[in-house]
Amino acid sequence: MFYSNFSIKWKINTVIIFVSTFVLLFSSIVLFSTHFIHIKDQIIQDLQQIAIITGLNCAPALIFNDENAAIQTLYSLNVKSHIVYAAILKTNLDVFAQFFRIKENDEYVSKPKQKEGFYFDTNSLFVIEPISLDDEIIGYVFIQHDLDIFHEKIINYGTNVFSIFCFSVVLTLTLSNLLQRLISKPILKLATISKQISESKDYSVRIKKKYRDEIGILYDNYNQMLNEIEQRDNHLESMVQKRTEQLEKSNQELIVARDEAWRANRLKSEFLANMSHEIRTPLNAILGITQILNGYIKDEQSKEYLSAISSSGKTLLRLINDILDLSKIEAGKLHIENKPVKIRTVLREIEHMFYWILQEKQLQFILDIDEQLPSVLIIDEMRLRQVFINLVGNAIKFTDKGHVCLKISCNFTHVTNPSSVHLLFAVEDTGKGIPQHMQQEIFQAFTQLDGQDNVKYGGTGLGLTISKRLIEMMGGKIWLESQVGKGTTFYFCLDDIKVVTDSSFTEDDFSTQMDHVVFSLATILVVDDVSYNRKLIKGMLLQIGKFEINEADDGVSALKQVSHHKPNIIFMDKRMPNLSGDKAAQCIKDSPVTHDIPIIIVTAETHEDYLSNEKTETGLNIQGLFDGLIQHPVTEKKLMDMLMRFIPYTFKRKLPAVEIQSIPVSSYDTNLPVSIEFKNKLPELIEILQKDMIPHWDQVRKGFIIDEIANFADIIHELGSRYHADMLIHWGKQLKHQADHFDVAKLPKTIEDFQNIIDSLTNQLTS
């Protein structure tokens, strides 16, 4: 209430004035009302006495019908200035005689409303008294009296009462202002001292007691409170001093512990980096050399051994990547990189990636895409794809019959301006389900279902943990619904995903021209302390183009090579003995002769991880040291991308601007005449296709990896050109075009046509 904000002085004055004014007003009203009634009754009584006397004097004149005598009696009322009219009335109320104050005027003549008593009109008092003789009424006296004297007395009395009321209010205000100090002054003094103590924090101040009433008790209690506060402060000061000494000691210990933690964290990071380098390096070499050997070895048994080595290596690499990814997420070193992505292409690639596994398990795959889903979104494609692979892979793994459904729905944030969208993904299966008590634990690291057959299902228990962390890093959340024996549905949502509305957006199709690129002659320096890593990169570079390739096993050797044979580009490992890649790059960049040589760092770290710190562990500023980064495993595509940035190149021929039309195998006329050279080489071609290409084709269609599909298309195209087989040439071109353009809708059908082409060639041999 507003009243609570005023001072106690104002409150006391207000209370006194309000009470006094109310009492005075009430008293004045009572006095005025009493006097009003008294004056009114007095006038009525006086007028009634006059009427009675006048009736007695006029009785003889009324008996003897002497009108003049009655009039003379009535005119004796002229001495009463407020009687304006008087009359002697007969028993039937007819006028017998009458008197007018001024003159005879109808204004003063008024026939009485009643035969006895009195009544008031607007400005007059009327009195009627009977005239009796021997208890018999012989007439009436009717008198009209104005109220001017009544009004005058009331006004005079009211003025006096109001004057007394106003004087009393002023007197009350004055006295209350003086007397309230007896209460407010000691309280205000207490408030002032409290404010001073609050500002100065000096609790040794005491209030001198002058009163023995409740205010005195208040002073005593206040002084006691100050004494307790002072004692507590003294105690707290001693405790604070003691605690400060303890905290200083603890801070020193914490600083030591912090330094130890930083050192341990740095050692952990170095350990992870070393593990990444030391484990991935031989694995990548194994996988790369396996890939190279696969093109040279023709023996079917040896190819199976190579396939087993490659499969086991990829499995081990995935396991290591999962562990390192989880470590990076927990260390906060894994970053989300949002770029324009054709989301429908990603979803269909996921569908085709698991096509053969679904076929083997006879499961139905349902891809349900919302029609309103925009074509291109700004999102981290690699992380989203990783989540899809984990969730869909788990759904297929734990489902023996029924279906697996990948569903996506969307809602635009703003209907009028669809610049962002809310996405809801669902991965549904009809598998074994997850018990209620495991539905939260399943997202924890290294957690698997109770009693899970590791031989049958495998896995590390990291997939869902990594997926959950990645989704949360992208600003979303994941949850599940499951019933044992009926299946499981994993949901995850991503909010406010930006939409690319520019219709001119097209994916980077630069990689589609890789097989048409011809590089200029160039000298390349490969620097790595591991010999088979150098051989791997060298082998891939020789497959890409005709280069002069030099090798160095550490930074010192690299500097010697650069000084004698200035290369056009350097591929340098980061971690090497004697002189690390960072320091070697610094020396090269510091020299005015070699500072313009592009240096590509080859490491197990991502570009974001490598640039997350301003300085490397060697203390060098990494900004400007390297012109590019290749992350293990090294592939021909990664090398090609870097070479195209720094080495001049031309194209063999212009790529077709339109899509190659798909021609069914059945449309080829096997009865058309063929060359004698083709007929002679046809048995040899069919033998190569059946023994070497069929296993390769089976591996490609099961893996459904775009790069492998493109490589297989190149092999078939080259084989068709060598043996003048138009069907193989056309099929290779068509498969290459679809792979380069990520046409995942047509790729499965085109891949399946390979067996039909072999059958057609076999028919030509027997015809």
Side-chain angles (χ1 to χ4, degrees):
M1 297 175 62
F2 75 96
Y3 185 76
S4 60
N5 296 326
F6 293 103
S7 66
I8 189 169
K9 175 181 177 180
W10 193 91
K11 292 177 182 177
I12 294 174
N13 282 336
T14 303
V15 171
I16 294 174
I17 292 171
F18 177 77
V19 173
S20 301
T21 302
F22 179 78
V23 172
L24 288 172
L25 181 62
F26 180 76
S27 301
S28 299
I29 293 173
V30 171
L31 288 174
F32 182 80
S33 300
T34 302
H35 190 69
F36 179 88
I37 295 172
H38 174 71
I39 294 174
K40 175 183 174 183
D41 292 342
Q42 184 179 1
I43 292 175
I44 293 173
Q45 290 176 5
D46 291 344
L47 195 57
Q48 286 178 336
Q49 290 296 327
I50 292 172
I52 292 172
I53 294 172
T54 301
L56 291 174
N57 292 333
C58 291
L62 187 60
I63 293 172
F64 295 104
N65 199 23
D66 186 356
E67 181 180 355
N68 291 328
I71 291 174
Q72 290 179 358
T73 302
L74 291 175
Y75 268 90
S76 64
L77 299 175
N78 192 38
V79 297
K80 301 293 184 179
S81 60
H82 293 285
I83 296 177
V84 296
Y85 175 76
I88 303 298
L89 305 177
K90 296 179 182 180
T91 56
N92 61 356
L93 300 181
D94 290 336
V95 177
F96 175 72
Q98 55 186 352
F99 158 76
F100 296 95
R101 165 64 54 189
I102 300 176
K103 61 179 181 177
E104 184 176 355
N105 193 322
D106 292 339
E107 180 181 354
Y108 298 103
V109 178
S110 177
K111 189 174 182 178
K113 295 180 180 180
Q114 58 192 44
K115 290 185 177 183
E116 189 175 358
F118 66 89
Y119 63 90
F120 287 89
D121 201 348
T122 304
N123 296 314
S124 301
L125 171 63
F126 299 93
V127 174
I128 303 173
E129 290 293 336
I131 302 173
S132 302
L133 181 64
D134 298 333
D135 297 329
E136 182 181 354
I137 296 175
I138 60 174
Y140 297 93
V141 177
F142 176 55
I143 299 175
Q144 181 180 356
H145 187 285
D146 65 27
L147 298 177
D148 291 342
I149 188 172
F150 174 73
H151 292 158
E152 182 180 352
K153 290 182 178 181
I154 292 300
I155 291 173
N156 290 336
Y157 188 78
T159 301
N160 294 334
V161 171
F162 181 73
S163 300
I164 295 171
F165 172 77
C166 293
F167 176 77
S168 300
V169 170
V170 174
L171 181 61
T172 302
L173 179 61
T174 303
L175 293 175
S176 65
N177 191 40
L178 294 174
L179 296 176
Q180 58 84 24
R181 297 178 183 176
L182 297 174
I183 300 175
S184 64
K185 185 177 180 180
I187 297 177
L188 292 175
K189 180 181 178 182
L190 180 62
T192 302
I193 294 176
S194 299
K195 183 178 180 182
Q196 293 175 354
I197 294 173
S198 177
E199 293 175 351
S200 64
K201 307 299 182 183
D202 182 10
Y203 297 103
S204 63
V205 177
R206 299 292 183 268
I207 303 175
K208 295 181 180 180
K209 178 180 177 182
K210 296 182 180 180
Y211 309 92
R212 297 186 179 275
D213 54 3
E214 288 81 357
I215 294 178
I217 297 173
L218 178 62
Y219 279 16
D220 290 338
N221 293 335
Y222 192 79
N223 287 332
Q224 183 179 357
M225 181 185 67
L226 291 175
N227 185 51
E228 292 178 357
I229 293 175
E230 184 179 13
Q231 293 178 359
R232 186 176 302 173
D233 279 357
N234 294 333
H235 179 65
L236 287 175
E237 286 180 2
S238 62
M239 289 185 64
V240 167
Q241 184 177 2
K242 182 178 179 181
R243 184 59 177 164
T244 302
E245 295 175 356
Q246 294 177 350
L247 287 176
E248 289 177 354
K249 182 179 179 182
S250 299
N251 285 337
Q252 294 298 325
E253 295 175 353
L254 287 175
I255 291 173
V256 174
R258 180 200 63 186
D259 294 340
E260 289 294 328
W262 283 352
R263 180 174 175 273
N265 188 51
R266 185 169 62 254
L267 291 175
K268 175 186 175 183
S269 300
E270 292 177 0
F271 173 76
L272 289 175
N274 289 330
M275 287 296 294
S276 174
H277 181 269
E278 299 301 331
I279 297 178
R280 280 175 170 171
T281 297
L283 268 179
N284 292 326
I286 292 171
L287 294 176
I289 294 173
T290 302
Q291 180 181 356
I292 295 174
L293 288 176
N294 190 58
Y296 291 100
I297 295 177
K298 305 300 181 181
D299 180 62
E300 184 175 349
Q301 185 67 34
S302 299
K303 282 185 174 291
E304 290 181 1
Y305 293 154
L306 286 176
S307 177
I309 294 172
S310 178
S311 176
S312 300
K314 290 178 180 178
T315 301
L316 183 57
L317 186 60
R318 281 195 297 268
L319 174 61
I320 295 170
N321 288 336
D322 283 347
I323 296 174
L324 292 175
D325 281 347
L326 183 61
S327 300
K328 289 179 182 178
I329 293 173
E330 292 179 344
K333 292 187 176 182
L334 192 145
H335 306 284
I336 297 299
E337 185 177 353
N338 294 323
K339 294 181 180 179
V341 176
K342 287 189 175 182
I343 186 65
R344 285 185 171 84
T345 301
V346 175
L347 294 172
R348 297 198 182 279
E349 285 182 0
I350 296 299
E351 176 183 9
H352 292 292
M353 183 180 299
F354 294 100
Y355 176 79
W356 294 109
I357 301 177
L358 291 164
Q359 292 297 316
E360 290 177 2
K361 299 190 71 171
Q362 296 182 351
L363 298 177
Q364 181 185 7
F365 186 83
I366 302 170
L367 182 59
D368 186 358
I369 303 176
D370 194 334
E371 294 180 356
Q372 296 182 348
L373 180 67
S375 298
V376 184
L377 301 175
I378 303 296
I379 200 169
D380 191 325
E381 177 183 358
M382 183 174 69
R383 302 307 174 191
L384 183 63
R385 188 188 299 271
Q386 188 174 357
V387 172
F388 282 144
I389 291 173
N390 284 334
L391 295 182
V392 176
N394 284 346
I396 296 174
K397 182 193 301 183
F398 294 103
T399 303
D400 294 328
K401 62 179 180 178
H403 70 269
V404 174
C405 177
L406 174 57
K407 181 178 181 181
I408 176 173
S409 58
C410 66
N411 289 312
F412 288 98
T413 307
H414 304 288
V415 178
T416 57
N417 184 22
S419 60
S420 61
V421 67
H422 299 304
L423 301 178
L424 175 62
F425 300 90
V427 179
E428 174 189 319
D429 65 62
T430 56
K432 58 190 298 186
I434 302 173
Q436 183 69 32
H437 69 279
M438 292 290 296
Q439 292 183 9
Q440 294 301 322
E441 298 179 7
I442 200 69
F443 290 105
Q444 297 177 6
F446 304 105
T447 300
Q448 296 179 327
L449 294 178
D450 294 338
Q452 178 175 313
D453 187 351
N454 288 329
V455 176
K456 178 179 180 181
Y457 296 111
T460 61
L462 291 176
L464 289 179
T465 304
I466 295 174
S467 298
K468 182 176 184 293
R469 304 284 180 85
L470 291 176
I471 291 169
E472 291 173 349
M473 290 178 66
M474 290 188 286
K477 61 179 181 179
I478 184 172
W479 68 97
L480 67 91
E481 295 178 358
S482 180
Q483 290 185 357
V484 177
K486 294 186 177 180
T488 304
T489 302
F490 282 88
Y491 298 93
F492 70 94
C493 62
L494 300 175
D495 296 332
D496 293 329
I497 302 300
K498 301 300 181 183
V499 177
V500 177
T501 56
D502 186 4
S503 59
S504 64
F505 171 80
T506 57
E507 290 184 344
D508 184 8
D509 58 354
F510 207 51
S511 61
T512 64
Q513 303 173 355
M514 288 173 54
D515 58 334
H516 305 285
V517 173
V518 177
F519 287 100
S520 301
L521 294 177
T523 301
I524 300 176
L525 176 61
V526 179
V527 186
D528 198 307
D529 60 312
V530 182
S531 60
Y532 52 75
N533 281 348
R534 298 196 302 272
K535 292 179 181 178
L536 173 64
I537 296 176
K538 182 178 180 180
M540 291 182 177
L541 289 173
L542 291 176
Q543 290 186 0
I544 293 173
K546 297 179 179 180
F547 302 114
E548 179 183 347
I549 301 176
N550 298 323
E551 300 180 34
D553 57 2
D554 59 17
V556 176
S557 300
L559 294 178
K560 292 180 180 179
Q561 289 277 0
V562 170
S563 63
H564 290 88
H565 308 284
K566 183 179 179 181
N568 298 102
I569 188 172
I570 301 173
F571 291 94
M572 183 175 295
D573 185 29
K574 178 184 176 184
R575 299 175 181 273
M576 294 181 295
N578 299 329
L579 189 66
S580 68
D582 297 333
K583 291 184 178 180
Q586 184 69 55
C587 295
I588 294 172
K589 292 297 183 180
D590 288 342
S591 172
V593 179
T594 59
H595 74 278
D596 58 341
I597 300 176
I599 303 176
I600 310 302
I601 185 70
V602 181
T603 177
E605 301 177 11
T606 65
H607 188 268
E608 292 78 9
D609 292 337
Y610 191 68
L611 297 180
S612 60
N613 298 320
E614 292 185 357
K615 294 185 178 181
T616 66
E617 68 272 12
T618 60
L620 298 175
N621 191 332
I622 65 173
Q623 297 297 333
L625 284 185
F626 299 103
D627 300 277
L629 182 145
I630 292 180
Q631 183 187 9
H632 285 298
V634 180
T635 63
E636 292 182 5
K637 183 179 183 304
K638 294 178 182 179
L639 293 173
M640 172 72 79
D641 290 340
M642 288 299 169
L643 291 173
M644 293 178 73
R645 286 178 56 189
F646 301 105
I647 304 299
Y649 62 90
T650 58
F651 290 107
K652 293 180 183 178
R653 57 182 175 82
K654 187 177 179 181
L655 288 175
V658 297
E659 180 180 354
I660 298 175
Q661 298 297 320
S662 177
I663 302 177
V665 176
S666 59
S667 65
Y668 287 95
D669 189 355
T670 58
N671 295 320
L672 290 175
V674 295
S675 64
I676 297 175
E677 183 180 5
F678 173 72
K679 283 187 175 182
N680 293 334
K681 292 184 177 182
L682 187 56
E684 181 183 350
L685 173 62
I686 293 176
E687 183 180 1
I688 294 174
L689 291 174
Q690 291 178 342
K691 290 185 177 181
D692 298 335
M693 294 299 106
I694 286 293
H696 193 177
W697 166 75
D698 188 58
Q699 182 180 358
V700 167
R701 71 188 184 94
K702 289 182 178 180
F704 204 83
I705 299 174
I706 298 297
D707 289 342
E708 294 183 0
I709 294 174
N711 291 335
F712 184 69
D714 290 337
I715 293 173
I716 297 301
H717 182 274
E718 193 274 335
L719 192 64
S721 300
R722 189 192 310 167
Y723 288 92
H724 306 285
D726 293 337
M727 294 177 68
L728 293 179
I729 294 173
H730 178 80
W731 185 86
K733 287 182 178 179
Q734 180 175 308
L735 184 65
K736 176 68 174 177
H737 181 83
Q738 293 174 358
D740 289 342
H741 288 80
F742 297 96
D743 192 351
V744 294
K746 296 179 180 179
L747 276 173
K749 177 64 171 61
T750 304
I751 293 173
E752 289 299 319
D753 283 342
F754 183 70
Q755 182 64 54
N756 297 331
I757 290 176
I758 295 177
D759 294 340
S760 297
L761 292 174
T762 304
N763 292 335
Q764 289 188 19
L765 180 63
T766 57
S767 62

